[in-house]
């Protein structure tokens, strides 16, 4: 079972890395989600698999009774929530970037000229405000 | 439990939440400053307690150590939290004077304090997975701060910053998962006891994963490209916060992990860190010399000087580590002052492109002095704090026989001086291309935080002994982790 999951993790990681290297930023985001799942499964596998046991100790049961390790599941739960937050933020960020920059091609964004610092509020002239 | 340990977390969290629920501008501005001052006070109190009673540890919810959530403060953590408070106060003062109503309306104060919450959490946590969570807290706050206002440059910079941060987060998560699989522990003190039983080859491979994950965050040699692309984009008060704090969290994590966990094969891992330090130093300063825009130049200087902090970690003697800690603390103050000053100059001249600036020495001679204090400190001239930081590192390097890196460090100090001198010539000596305008709204409020930081770096330079001995105490604790383990687990190695 561990070997099977290891291959799954490897496959997902390969897909994720491939997508993250694609030029389109939405593909990058999907790649991140796939890679995130690979990382989660990896933690799950690293925490030793015990599919036939619950991750709980029975009430009054001896602690030594076999039970699945609950810690990786808690870790993955946290990581999934954080991954969701990052993905949600990323979608909104890319949406705004698309609006402002007119493209989501990573290479085109890399060529956006040197980040001229945002103007200080006092210096903001109306013409510049309109252009942005 | 010791409330002092959680105060640096509770104060910014409370301030951030209050800023979210109290929409009034005055309330937010008062809270913004009060929260920062409270954080500074909490940092002082925490350092005093660590100094008096030794390493402090708190188990949240009273779960015994390896199972619960642990917060630990040794000298390194306490010093980092204290200087975070200093930077927070300076940036809060600057934000008050900057009076950026658009960003204040979008929640600048709330986000700024949530960022501080994440930074302090990362400094104080004693658990590797929690470190990941704290990283995400500070990253999410920094993402929003980075694009707050939504100008083109900010969005383009924000996309790059976001992409790189996602990658380093995943690498960090994978590294934590694999280390957990190999040892069955996440608590750093517990890990330190258990890594000895792991196969050294596997441990080295894991250490490389951590090196890449934290190296991306600290912006060291092969991974620094994202920083100058994104840090100059937001306005000065935000980029000063980033420059002062965010990369230092990466450096802190590197120092923590590579002194506590991965000391099994220092011949390989720490030599590699030394090489990385050398390349970071040289490439950063050379790129800085090639820049024509002040904040991009400062960003490359920031990258370059991360190399000094890694240099001490790579040499790994007590004196060298003390130098690293001292350098990180001094650099947080100095680079925040320089970024704030760049914002001030932008207010004065409407631009930070060097060829379009000039002629400021005539009307504002005191501003020139305000620039020279942190600039000389960055270059490492006596009597500023940067001199003692570099002196400690160079002395440690000579003692350890690492002449190559010492030569690089000295050369980079000279090149930094050159780079800062060029900036001075461009901004202050050169004739102004246009007429020098009077500053709209006065400069006093904007200059005050820069002045405070500049005086602080001069003060540390003149009375280096207290901070130096604190750094040495931090280095001793790092190199002899049994005290740390004893404080967290209650057992000795």
């Amino acid at each position: 079972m561990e070997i099977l999951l290891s291959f799954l993790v490897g496959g997902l990681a390969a897909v994720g890395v491939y997508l993250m290297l694609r030029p389109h930023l939405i593909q990058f985001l999907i790649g991140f989600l796939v890679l995130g799942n690979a990382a989660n499964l990896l933690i799950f596998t690293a925490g030793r698999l015990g599919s036939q046991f619950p991750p709980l100790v029975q009430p009054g049961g001896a602690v030594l009774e076999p039970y699945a390790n609950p810690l990786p599941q808690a870790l993955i739960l946290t990581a999934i929530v954080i991954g969701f937050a990052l993905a949600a933020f990323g979608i909104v960020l890319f949406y705004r970037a698309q609006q402002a920059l007119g493209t989501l091609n990573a290479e085109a964004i890399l060529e956006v000229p040197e980040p001229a610092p945002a103007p200080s509020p006092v210096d903001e002239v109306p013409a510049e405000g309109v252009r942005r | 439990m010791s409330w002092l340990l959680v105060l640096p977390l509770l104060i910014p969290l409370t301030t951030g939440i209050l800023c979210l629920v109290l929409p009034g501008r005055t309330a937010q501005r008062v809270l913004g400053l009060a929260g920062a001052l409270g954080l500074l006070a909490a940092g002082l109190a925490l350092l005093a307690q660590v100094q008096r009673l030794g390493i402090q540890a708190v188990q949240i919810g009273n779960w015994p150590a390896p199972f619960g959530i642990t917060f630990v403060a040794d000298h390194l953590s306490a010093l980092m939290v204290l200087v975070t408070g200093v930077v927070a106060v300076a940036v809060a003062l600057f934000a008050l004077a900057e009076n950026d109503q658009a960003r204040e309306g979008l929640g600048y104060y709330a986000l700024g304090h949530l960022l501080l919450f994440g930074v302090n959490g990362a400094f104080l946590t004693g658990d590797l997975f929690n470190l990941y969570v704290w990283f995400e807290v500070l990253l999410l706050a920094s993402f929003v701060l980075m694009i707050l206002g939504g100008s083109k440059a900010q969005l383009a910079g924000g996309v790059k910053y976001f992409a790189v941060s996602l990658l380093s987060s995943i690498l960090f998560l994978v590294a934590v998962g694999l280390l957990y699989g190999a040892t069955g522990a996440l608590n750093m003190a517990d890990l330190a006891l258990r890594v000895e039983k792991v196969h050294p080859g596997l441990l080295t491979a894991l250490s490389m994963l951590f090196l890449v994950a934290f190296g991306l965050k600290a912006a060291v040699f092969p991974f620094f490209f994202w920083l100058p692309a994104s840090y100059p984009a937001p306005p000065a008060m935000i980029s000063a916060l980033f420059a002062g704090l965010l990369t230092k969290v990466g450096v802190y994590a590197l120092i923590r992990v590579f002194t506590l966990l991965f000391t099994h094969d220092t011949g390989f891992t720490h030599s590699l860190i030394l090489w990385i330090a050398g390349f970071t130093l040289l490439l950063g300063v050379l790129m800085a010399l090639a820049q024509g825009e002040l904040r991009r130049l400062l960003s490359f200087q920031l990258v370059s000087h991360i190399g000094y902090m890694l240099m001490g970690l790579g040499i790994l003697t007590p004196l060298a580590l003390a130098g690293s800690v001292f350098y990180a603390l001094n650099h947080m103050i100095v680079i925040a002052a320089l970024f704030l000053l760049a914002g001030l100059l932008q207010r004065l001249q409407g631009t930070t492109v060097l060829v379009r600036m000039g002629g400021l020495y005539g009307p504002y001679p005191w501003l020139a002095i305000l620039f020279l204090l942190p600039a000389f400190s960055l270059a490492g001239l006596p009597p500023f704090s940067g001199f003692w930081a570099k002196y400690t590192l160079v002395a440690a390097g000579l003692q350890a026989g690492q002449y190559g890196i010492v030569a690089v460090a000295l050369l980079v100090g000279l090149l930094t001086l050159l780079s800062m001198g060029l900036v001075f010539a461009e901004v202050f000596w050169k004739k102004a291309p246009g007429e020098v305008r009077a500053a709209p709204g006065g400069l006093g409020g904007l200059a005050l935080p820069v002045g405070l930081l500049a005086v602080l770096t001069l003060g540390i330079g003149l009375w280096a002994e207290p901070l130096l001995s604190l750094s040495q105490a931090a280095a001793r604790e790092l190199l002899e982790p049994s005290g740390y383990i004893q404080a967290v687990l209650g057992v000795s190695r």
Side-chain angles (χ1 to χ4, degrees), chain B residues 188-189 192 195 255-263 478 481 484-485:
Chain B
M188 286 199 264
V195 283
I255 292 181
R256 179 65 78 202
V257 165
F258 277 90
T259 53
L260 190 60
L261 306 182
F262 304 121
T263 49
L478 288 171
Y484 185 91
I485 296 166

Side-chain angles (χ1 to χ4, degrees), chain A residues 20 25 28-29 31-40 42-43 45-48 69 71-72 74-76 78-80 82-83 85-87 89-91 93-94 96-102 104 106 109-124 131-132, chain B residues 98-101 103 129 132-133 136 139-140 143-144 147 149-160 162-164 166-167 169-170 173-174 176-178 180-184 186 228-230 232-235 293 295-296 343 346-353 437 440-441:
Chain A
M20 284 178 103
L25 283 179
F28 173 87
L29 201 63
F32 163 71
L33 288 174
V34 174
L35 198 58
N37 279 317
N40 292 341
L42 183 142
I43 297 177
T45 318
R48 313 286 184 274
N69 187 353
L71 190 63
L75 300 187
I76 293 168
T78 315
I80 287 175
I82 291 174
L86 289 176
F89 178 81
I91 290 167
L93 172 67
F94 291 165
R96 281 289 286 124
Q98 161 97 62
Q99 279 186 330
L101 308 171
L104 275 185
I109 288 181
L110 278 180
E111 278 162 20
V112 171
E114 63 169 55
S120 184
V122 180
D123 295 319
E124 223 153 338
R131 201 163 5 106
R132 284 191 291 111
Chain B
E98 174 99 312
N99 200 7
D100 189 341
Q101 299 191 16
R103 289 194 176 78
F129 190 79
Y132 165 75
V133 177
E136 299 306 322
L139 277 181
L140 270 172
F143 290 153
V144 187
I147 58 163
S151 75
K152 254 187 190 185
Q154 279 181 300
L155 282 167
V159 165
K160 292 165 202 166
F162 178 70
V164 171
L166 285 192
L167 197 63
S169 292
I170 291 229
L173 188 60
V174 167
V176 170
L178 287 174
Y180 174 70
T183 59
L186 287 167
S230 54
E293 198 272 320
R295 285 209 223 155
R296 268 180 79 81
Q346 187 192 1
R347 169 76 76 92
L348 212 51
Q349 304 227 300
T351 177
T352 47
V353 179
R437 296 181 301 164

